[in-house]
Amino acid sequence: MTAERQNPAEPHFDLTSLGEVMMRLSVGQGQRRIRAERLDAHLGGAECNVCAALAGLGRHTAWFGLLPESPLGEWALRHLRANGVDVGGVRLVPDSRLGTYFVELGVPPNPINVTYDRARSAAADMKPADIDWELLLDTRWLHLTGITPALGHGPAATVDEALRQTADRGVRVSLDVNFRAKLWSPEDSRAWLEPRLDLVDLVICGVEDAKVVFGIDGVPEEVARMLAERTRGERAVVTLGEDGALAWDDGSLERAEGVSAQVVDRLGAGDAFAAGVIDGLLDGSLADGLRRGVAMGAAALGQRGDVLNVSREVLGRLVVGGRARPER
């Protein structure tokens, strides 16, 4: 049950999102699955990771989607609640399953290797009628990713409906491209995403994904400008890996240098970055959002699991100095 708002004139949520929660089973860093004797279990998903990271900063967030009516679905609900995310818009589906993915956390030069097992999951059957649109859109900001429409016709139609309704209601929208080659081809991704960019206020994209999906090549500044010009809000953020990120904001360029980090677990760092960017925009500054995003992405690299847990106080110290003091 959601809490009553203090001011009915204001949106109930700071941010809402919809997508899929998955169970992640991973072996230890540098180990191979074929020889694994133990698997570590975590829960995550690009959209719910953003909700959880922002909730940790004190933002009021909600995640919408379908979960199986099973012990695994209840586990996912408890996970979201424990991270401060409102789950009043979640539907439990009988005789369904939770999507799973298996991960090898390769140590460079070896890559991270992911194997998905998400066919016929609860989220893959999502359709527009499953969403409480009045509740989802009672928000300042809606965050979407390119993962959900890649799951199938129903999820794609649901994201389409979200974009259509936000256009009618003035809700700001961010889209993290999050290209997944194991879900759809670059051509299919571009065909779906590109016509919808003019319904988005901010697009977030890796510099390599911009080339692979949209065919945009060149220096990062030009990539950001060309992406921004395709959006409603004329804003784009381009991530540069260890070199940080830059943004094109309605004609001006912003940049945030990378923050050094010891890598424990790479998964979820991009979602933590997106959360930081949106946090800055909720305060009215994309430049601040870039700095927060880079700091939060670096912090996520040093935590196990997909969800970043960092307080507003710790984030402030990371943004200023790039490193938090010991807490004793």
Side-chain angles (χ1 to χ4, degrees):
M1 185 172 68
T2 58
E4 293 184 8
R5 73 182 76 186
Q6 295 181 351
N7 183 359
E10 294 294 325
H12 189 58
F13 298 109
D14 293 312
L15 176 135
T16 58
S17 192
L18 60 88
E20 180 175 25
V21 172
M22 301 185 71
M23 176 169 62
R24 167 183 144 188
L25 298 172
S26 56
V27 296
Q29 194 174 52
Q31 295 181 346
R32 300 298 307 275
R33 281 168 299 185
I34 196 170
R35 297 189 181 127
E37 297 179 352
R38 187 187 76 178
L39 292 169
D40 294 324
H42 298 276
L43 286 165
E47 299 88 358
C48 71
N49 294 345
V50 171
C51 290
L54 282 167
L57 298 178
R59 302 290 188 184
H60 191 191
T61 69
W63 178 84
F64 291 71
L66 304 183
L67 292 172
E69 190 175 359
S70 70
L72 289 179
E74 291 294 335
W75 178 37
L77 278 177
R78 289 197 302 271
H79 164 80
L80 290 162
R81 290 191 187 109
N83 282 285
V85 179
D86 189 295
V87 293
V90 175
R91 283 194 57 203
L92 297 178
V93 182
D95 302 319
S96 188
R97 63 185 295 262
L98 190 70
T100 304
Y101 66 109
F102 300 85
V103 182
E104 284 182 356
L105 298 169
V107 177
N110 296 315
I112 293 175
N113 192 296
V114 177
T115 300
Y116 293 112
D117 179 19
R118 71 203 313 175
R120 298 179 300 281
S121 69
D125 290 333
M126 180 169 53
K127 54 190 180 301
D130 294 319
I131 303 298
D132 182 341
W133 294 106
E134 290 299 320
L135 188 59
L136 177 89
L137 297 170
D138 194 1
T139 184
R140 297 173 61 193
W141 199 283
L142 175 67
H143 181 66
L144 303 169
T145 78
I147 296 173
T148 303
L151 299 180
H153 175 75
T158 306
V159 176
D160 255 341
E161 182 65 13
L163 289 169
R164 185 188 71 78
Q165 293 216 25
T166 54
D168 294 338
R169 302 191 187 206
V171 175
R172 290 183 293 172
V173 181
S174 53
L175 172 69
D176 190 339
V177 171
N178 252 328
F179 175 64
R180 297 289 184 267
K182 292 187 177 182
L183 290 179
W184 57 359
S185 69
E187 294 78 16
D188 288 342
S189 177
R190 180 175 184 173
W192 199 93
L193 292 172
E194 195 165 54
R196 292 162 175 84
L197 291 180
D198 62 0
L199 297 174
V200 169
D201 297 281
L202 168 73
V203 63
I204 301 172
C205 188
V207 68
E208 288 301 318
D209 283 354
K211 180 179 180 180
V212 170
V213 175
F214 299 109
I216 300 176
D217 201 2
V219 297
E221 293 82 358
E222 282 299 298
V223 173
R225 180 187 62 79
M226 293 176 70
L227 279 173
E229 288 175 349
R230 304 183 188 192
T231 69
R232 176 176 66 190
E234 297 188 16
R235 281 174 166 169
V237 168
V238 172
T239 56
L240 307 173
E242 295 178 355
D243 294 327
L246 55 82
W248 188 268
D249 184 7
D250 193 20
S252 63
L253 188 70
E254 304 286 351
R255 182 184 294 272
E257 299 298 326
V259 174
S260 62
Q262 181 173 341
V263 178
V264 173
D265 188 338
R266 291 187 179 276
L267 299 184
D271 305 324
F273 170 81
V277 170
I278 295 167
D279 186 63
L281 284 167
L282 287 169
D283 285 339
S285 173
L286 181 54
D288 286 346
L290 271 187
R291 289 189 287 270
R292 296 175 196 181
V294 168
M296 289 175 69
L301 291 173
Q303 294 187 7
R304 296 199 184 278
D306 291 33
V307 176
L308 173 66
N309 294 293
V310 65
S311 67
R312 177 72 63 185
E313 180 184 5
V314 170
L315 175 60
R317 295 203 296 267
L318 289 172
V319 170
V320 171
R323 189 172 185 176
R325 299 190 304 272
E327 294 185 353
R328 296 172 176 165

